[in-house]
Amino acid sequence: QWYQRRVRVEGAVGRQVNPGAVLEVGWLLLKYSLITHKKELRKQVMSLFVDKMFTAAWDPNHGGIFSYLDVDGLNPTELTWNMKLWWPVTEAMIALIMSYKISGERKFLNNFSRVFDYAMVHFREPGHGEWYGYADNEGRVTHTFKGGPDKGCFHVARCLWMCARLVRDVVATGGVEK
């Protein structure tokens, strides 16, 4: 089991996990652990918030990251649970490349490459570069607009900017954060 409960909250909502939010908190905690020099926190975050969450959320059949998971392995009650959305992919890309830069563990780089490739194939519009926001379980775009009440330009731009900087740093230093 990928998740160990510390507090039991009954019902479907209590079991629901949003992988995009967990991955985002993961990279934010990694930044905090670097600033505060908390190496043990860094290890825990890379294990629980990045590695285990990514492994649980990645769809082994069609690629992409599920929108919601149920910690007990039941079907999530959120109707969009198996859709693939743009923003969890952006959070995963940041968390994975940051984890690789910090640890040098190849699994993070390999998973970053998987997510990057998925995003470029399923979300990026080849003619203009901006990403579509919503795909079905198999990765087919479901909504052809690129902006709206839920999807703006923030996540994609931040992700690509941060990933470019992190990759540049990895190339320049040969890897692991001190």
Side-chain angles (χ1 to χ4, degrees), residues 38 67 111 122 149 161 176:
K38 295 181 185 265
S67 297
N111 286 332
H122 296 280
W161 179 77
V176 181

Side-chain angles (χ1 to χ4, degrees), residues 20-33:
V22 174
L23 290 160
E24 182 177 24
V25 168
W27 71 257
L28 289 166
L29 285 170
L30 285 176
K31 287 184 72 86
Y32 171 78
S33 74

Side-chain angles (χ1 to χ4, degrees), residues 48-69:
L48 299 173
F49 286 74
V50 181
D51 188 34
K52 286 185 180 180
M53 183 77 272
F54 175 77
T55 301
W58 182 257
D59 181 347
N61 298 316
H62 304 291
I65 295 171
F66 291 118
S67 297
Y68 293 94
L69 297 174

